[in-house]
Amino acid sequence: PHFLILCMAYKYGRDKGTLKAAEAFDKYIDPKITRVTLVDTFNKELTDSLMVARYFGQRYNMQRIDTCGENIGEGGSLYDGMKARDPSFQVGTGVTIELAKNLRMNLIQNGYGPYTDTVLSSNFGDEKKAQAFMQADAEFRKRTGYNLFTRVGIGEVSEAIFCTGDIFEIDGKPFSKVGREITNVDYTKLERVI
């Protein structure tokens, strides 16, 4: 999914890449397929999710948060004064409870609560993380009447070798998702596949 957004961003600009990817998917994919838009590519989860929700209007769609561990989500807080993972998953880097709440509240307050749901992914094979988010969902639902999220991409459920298909350049120019820039990667561990 980041690949499509990056290609659209390369053509239309980073501020429009996520929206253009959602529009293209919507135009060319069977309408029976649920519209799910990845909104973390440029670390503008709140901005991009609202832009996509405006595009879909009252048509049901889902926003997927997969913020990488190198980033604090848009509008998020540092953990213990640092850019680090919070063992309680409340704040800090990656997909956090704070980020999920901020994104949902932004959509609800702008009138898109009934038409949107959230998909969370990234490290939900961690039982403690899954439990923390289930508790946060129950509290959020009780307080707002809306789910915090409705789907989870599990990730690392069993022992596995981590791999990623990140894009680092397009047409010979550095171009990547935020947090995975060429300067943040040890190229000695990468193997070019195409």
Side-chain angles (χ1 to χ4, degrees):
H2 289 292
F3 177 77
L4 175 60
I5 294 166
L6 286 167
C7 289
M8 293 299 194
Y10 188 73
K11 180 173 174 118
Y12 297 105
R14 289 177 183 266
D15 60 328
K16 294 183 182 123
T18 302
L19 176 61
K20 291 293 186 182
E23 290 173 349
F25 189 93
D26 190 39
K27 181 177 179 179
Y28 294 105
I29 301 301
D30 187 328
K32 294 177 198 161
I33 304 296
T34 302
R35 280 29 190 164
V36 181
T37 306
L38 187 58
V39 295
D40 65 88
T41 305
F42 302 111
N43 205 206
K44 297 287 186 189
E45 295 88 349
L46 306 183
T47 302
D48 284 352
S49 64
L50 186 56
M51 186 172 15
V52 168
R54 285 183 177 135
Y55 165 75
F56 284 109
Q58 293 184 358
R59 290 189 296 143
Y60 178 73
N61 68 99
M62 300 178 86
Q63 318 282 330
R64 178 176 159 216
I65 311 171
D66 187 38
T67 303
C68 63
E70 293 85 355
N71 292 338
I72 292 177
E74 182 181 15
S77 305
L78 296 172
Y79 167 66
D80 213 14
M82 300 181 302
K83 191 174 180 181
R85 284 195 188 269
D86 173 1
S88 72
F89 311 104
Q90 295 293 320
V91 298
T93 59
V95 178
T96 64
I97 292 168
E98 176 187 50
L99 174 59
K101 285 179 179 178
N102 288 346
L103 186 139
R104 283 301 288 152
M105 286 307 299
N106 192 38
L107 293 170
I108 292 164
Q109 290 168 350
N110 280 281
Y112 299 104
Y115 314 110
T116 59
D117 278 315
T118 305
V119 178
L120 305 174
S121 56
S122 189
N123 201 34
F124 280 89
D126 180 329
E127 188 175 333
K128 289 180 182 174
K129 184 172 187 174
Q131 288 173 346
F133 272 82
M134 290 302 294
Q135 181 179 343
D137 179 55
E139 292 167 2
F140 189 84
R141 196 173 39 244
K142 186 176 181 180
R143 188 171 55 90
T144 67
Y146 290 97
N147 288 314
L148 181 58
F149 62 94
T150 56
R151 309 276 191 289
V152 173
I154 296 297
E156 306 78 29
V157 174
S158 60
E159 287 189 36
I161 297 172
F162 175 77
C163 66
T164 184
D166 290 329
I167 305 296
F168 296 103
E169 63 179 45
I170 298 176
D171 287 338
K173 298 174 188 152
F175 204 86
S176 65
K177 67 183 268 186
V178 172
R180 298 282 171 86
E181 294 86 355
I182 200 166
T183 55
N184 294 340
V185 176
D186 179 0
Y187 262 114
T188 62
K189 296 180 180 179
L190 297 179
E191 180 181 333
R192 186 177 191 95
V193 293
I194 57 171

